[in-house]
Amino acid sequence: MKPLKVLATVLIVIVAISALSVGCTEGAKFEVGSLEISPNPVAAGETATVSVEVTNVGGSEGAYTAELKIDGAEAQTEEVSVAEGDTGRVAFSVAKESLGSYEIEVGDLKGTLMVVRPAEFEVGPISATPRVATLCKPTTLKAEVTNVGEIEGTYTAVLQVDGVEVETKDITVAAGKKATVSFRVTKDDEGDYDLAIGDSHIVLPVRPG
């Protein structure tokens, strides 16, 4: 009988230890950090991404529900599953039509999203060098492009000759800055040509050499 009693005692101890271990297992516990807003500022109507890192510092895998608040009001929720000791990232897409600043909040983290006027371009007067072109010789056209918006943007400059598109160039201009776009034109017929870049026009005389 003694061996049976010993065996029963061992089993009881094992069960007790197992129960104690289960009772001491820590559940999932999360820490939220690294708030990012990109791009920021963003043009009105365009999409910005708000993201945070979620780290599971607990003892088991779990799911975390991240809540995005904009100006204190709940806007979106996203759930992410994170294994014990791992870090996941949760992201939200935000687009606003109204200009201004918006307070962004995820958990205890806060940031500011700036919504600004989109890039908008104005093309200045066109210069031609030489001013009177010679048949079969190139003429250089230049125009200044000004970004009157509040964010960097890319302008596609279109050169038209007598209303027909002949060439395009992309030019990136920072907010409130100017950049110069240039084209080269060669004509093999004498005459006066209407050249346009955007809304700017110039008449280029082409004469024999």
Side-chain angles (χ1 to χ4, degrees):
M1 294 295 292
K2 286 185 178 181
L4 292 175
K5 288 183 179 181
V6 172
L7 179 58
T9 302
V10 171
L11 290 174
I12 291 171
V13 170
I14 291 173
V15 170
I17 292 175
S18 298
L20 182 62
S21 299
V22 171
C24 291
T25 300
E26 184 182 10
K29 183 180 178 181
F30 302 98
E31 292 181 352
V32 180
S34 300
L35 172 66
E36 292 184 3
I37 304 172
S38 179
N40 193 18
V42 66
E46 298 295 323
T47 299
T49 299
V50 177
S51 64
V52 294
E53 287 185 347
V54 179
T55 301
N56 186 349
V57 296
S60 61
E61 182 178 0
Y64 177 79
T65 300
E67 179 185 59
L68 169 68
K69 291 182 179 180
I70 301 178
D71 289 341
E74 180 182 327
Q76 300 177 43
T77 59
E78 291 286 345
E79 185 176 284
V80 59
S81 294
V82 187
E84 172 190 354
D86 283 351
T87 297
R89 195 157 195 97
V90 61
F92 304 90
S93 295
V94 178
K96 293 292 184 181
E97 296 292 341
S98 299
L99 306 182
S101 61
Y102 295 84
E103 183 181 73
I104 300 298
E105 185 177 354
V106 182
D108 294 329
L109 305 177
K110 292 183 179 181
T112 301
L113 171 65
M114 298 298 301
V115 179
V116 299
R117 192 153 48 98
E120 184 179 345
F121 303 98
E122 295 178 353
V123 180
I126 301 171
S127 65
T129 305
R131 184 62 186 86
V132 177
T134 301
L135 283 172
C136 302
K137 291 187 178 180
T139 296
T140 299
L141 307 175
K142 291 184 179 181
E144 278 193 341
V145 178
T146 303
N147 182 354
V148 297
E150 297 180 310
I151 195 169
E152 181 180 88
T154 299
Y155 176 73
T156 300
V158 179
L159 172 65
Q160 292 184 328
V161 178
D162 289 339
V164 178
E165 180 180 318
V166 295
E167 190 177 354
T168 63
K169 285 186 178 180
D170 288 338
I171 183 170
T172 299
V173 189
K177 301 297 183 179
K178 297 180 180 181
T180 300
V181 61
S182 63
F183 295 94
R184 287 166 66 89
V185 175
T186 302
K187 304 302 293 181
D188 54 9
D189 290 322
E190 184 179 358
D192 294 334
Y193 294 87
D194 178 65
L195 308 180
I197 302 174
D199 293 329
S200 292
H201 291 255
I202 189 173
V203 175
L204 179 68
V206 177
R207 302 290 184 260

